[in-house]
Amino acid sequence: MSFKPRILIAEDESGIADTLQYVLKSDGFTPVWCATAEEAIAQFAQEAPALAILDIGLPDLNGFELFKRLQALNQSMGGPEVPMVFLTARSDEIDRVVGLELGADDYIAKPFSPRELVARVRTILRRSARNAPGGSPAAAGPNHGVPHQIAPQAPSATPQAPAMPFSLDNERMQIRYYGRLLELSRYEYGLLRLLVQRPGRVFTRDELLEMVWDDASDSFDRTVDAHIKTLRAKLKAVAPDVEPIRTLRGTGYALNEELPTKSS
C-alpha cells in the first residue's frame, strides 16, 4: 500500500475547502479538513500531518495565532517540525509579509491555481524530506522533514566580515548589521548571505531561486520578492537611512557597495 501524506487544512469556507480536498486527494494526498482552529489543533494533536495549510481568517482564531499554537504543540510532541503554508487574499500583502516573518514555509493567494497549489505542496515536502536527519527524498517520508537550512559554504569558527557593515558568521548561521544580530528566517538568511558575500554583484531572481531554494523550477519569482521585502524591513529597523539592497527592475537584486561603515 502506497503512503499518502496527510495534509491538514484549516479553512472555514466550504467551497475553498472542497477544492483543496479535491486537488490534494487527486494528487495522492490525504486531506483532513477542519473548519475551525479548535478542530485543527485537535487533529494536529491526534496525529501530526506532513504539512498544514492555514487560512488566516478563521472564525475562532486568526491563522497567525493558530500557526504559533501548532508550532508549540509540534515542539511539545517532540516530532520533526511540520511545514506550514498560509492561505491569504491576493490583496492582503501585509498578511503575506507577516506570515513569512513568522516562519511560514510559503503562502498561497486566493483565488489560487490548483496546479500551483499542488506544486508548492510537493516542493515544500521534498525540501523537508531532503533535510531530514540522514534523509533524502527517497529515504525519508514527506512527514519526516525539518526546516530547510542553508548549508554554509565555508564554515568558520570566527565571524567574517566580507562587506561592511555586515558581519557574517557561517558556522552559527547568523548575520550582524551595524553590530546588531538580525532575526532572520532561513530564506532571509540565505538571501542576505549570498548578497553580502558578493557586494555589487547582480543576482537575477532565477539565480536566487536556484542558489537559495531547492527545486527552483517549482518555486516562484514573487516568493523571492516577498522575502526581499521582509528582509529590507528588518534592515531598515536597524539603520532607517541606509538602503543596502538595490533593485534592478526586470533583473534582480544586488548589495549596495557604497554603504557607510557606521549607521547614523
Side-chain angles (χ1 to χ4, degrees), residues 151-158 160 168-171 189 193 197:
Q153 293 177 342
S156 173
T158 57
Q160 302 172 11
L168 177 62
D169 186 341
N170 280 329
E171 191 168 78
Y189 169 80
R193 187 193 69 175
Q197 288 176 329

Side-chain angles (χ1 to χ4, degrees), residues 6 81 84 97 103 122 127 131 142 168 195 203 216 235 237 240 249 256:
R6 188 168 178 264
E81 186 167 333
M84 301 190 205
V97 171
R122 286 204 172 278
R127 290 171 186 158
N131 289 276
L168 177 62
L195 295 174
F203 290 91
L235 296 173
R249 292 191 179 278
N256 194 334

Side-chain angles (χ1 to χ4, degrees), residues 202-253:
V202 178
F203 290 91
T204 67
R205 289 173 177 82
D206 286 343
E207 286 177 322
L208 293 173
L209 284 170
E210 183 68 30
M211 300 173 80
V212 177
W213 278 263
D214 293 330
D215 302 303
S217 62
D218 289 336
S219 300
F220 304 89
D221 285 355
R222 63 174 174 271
T223 300
V224 174
D225 294 339
H227 280 80
I228 289 289
K229 184 178 181 67
T230 62
L231 187 55
R232 277 179 165 149
K234 292 179 180 182
L235 296 173
K236 187 169 284 293
V238 175
D241 299 326
V242 180
E243 294 291 344
I245 299 177
R246 295 189 297 118
T247 299
L248 287 85
R249 292 191 179 278
T251 304
Y253 300 97

Side-chain angles (χ1 to χ4, degrees), residues 15-164:
I16 293 176
D18 287 344
T19 300
L20 285 167
Q21 291 181 91
Y22 175 77
V23 297
L24 289 169
K25 190 172 182 179
S26 299
D27 212 66
F29 297 99
T30 300
V32 179
W33 174 37
C34 302
T36 65
E38 183 180 2
E39 291 178 40
I41 293 170
Q43 283 288 344
F44 196 103
Q46 180 179 329
E47 179 184 350
L51 180 143
I53 299 175
L54 312 178
D55 182 33
I56 291 176
L58 294 169
D60 56 337
L61 198 69
N62 72 61
F64 299 140
E65 184 61 33
L66 175 59
F67 174 88
K68 295 176 184 177
R69 294 195 186 185
L70 292 182
Q71 275 194 321
L73 179 58
N74 194 185
Q75 292 174 2
S76 70
M77 293 168 67
E81 186 167 333
V82 174
M84 301 190 205
V85 176
F86 280 118
L87 278 177
T88 177
R90 187 175 299 278
S91 60
D92 293 337
E93 181 180 10
I94 186 62
D95 285 346
R96 299 199 295 272
V97 171
V98 171
L100 291 171
E101 286 183 332
L102 283 175
D105 290 80
D106 208 341
Y107 66 87
I108 297 170
K110 302 177 186 177
F112 55 84
S113 158
R115 182 177 179 183
E116 178 181 337
L117 180 144
V118 171
R120 291 196 185 201
V121 167
R122 286 204 172 278
T123 296
I124 293 168
L125 290 179
R126 282 198 295 270
R127 290 171 186 158
S128 296
R130 183 177 292 108
N131 289 276
S136 67
N143 62 332
H144 289 80
V146 295
H148 178 60
Q149 298 289 329
I150 305 299
Q153 293 177 342
S156 173
T158 57
Q160 302 172 11
M164 291 296 289

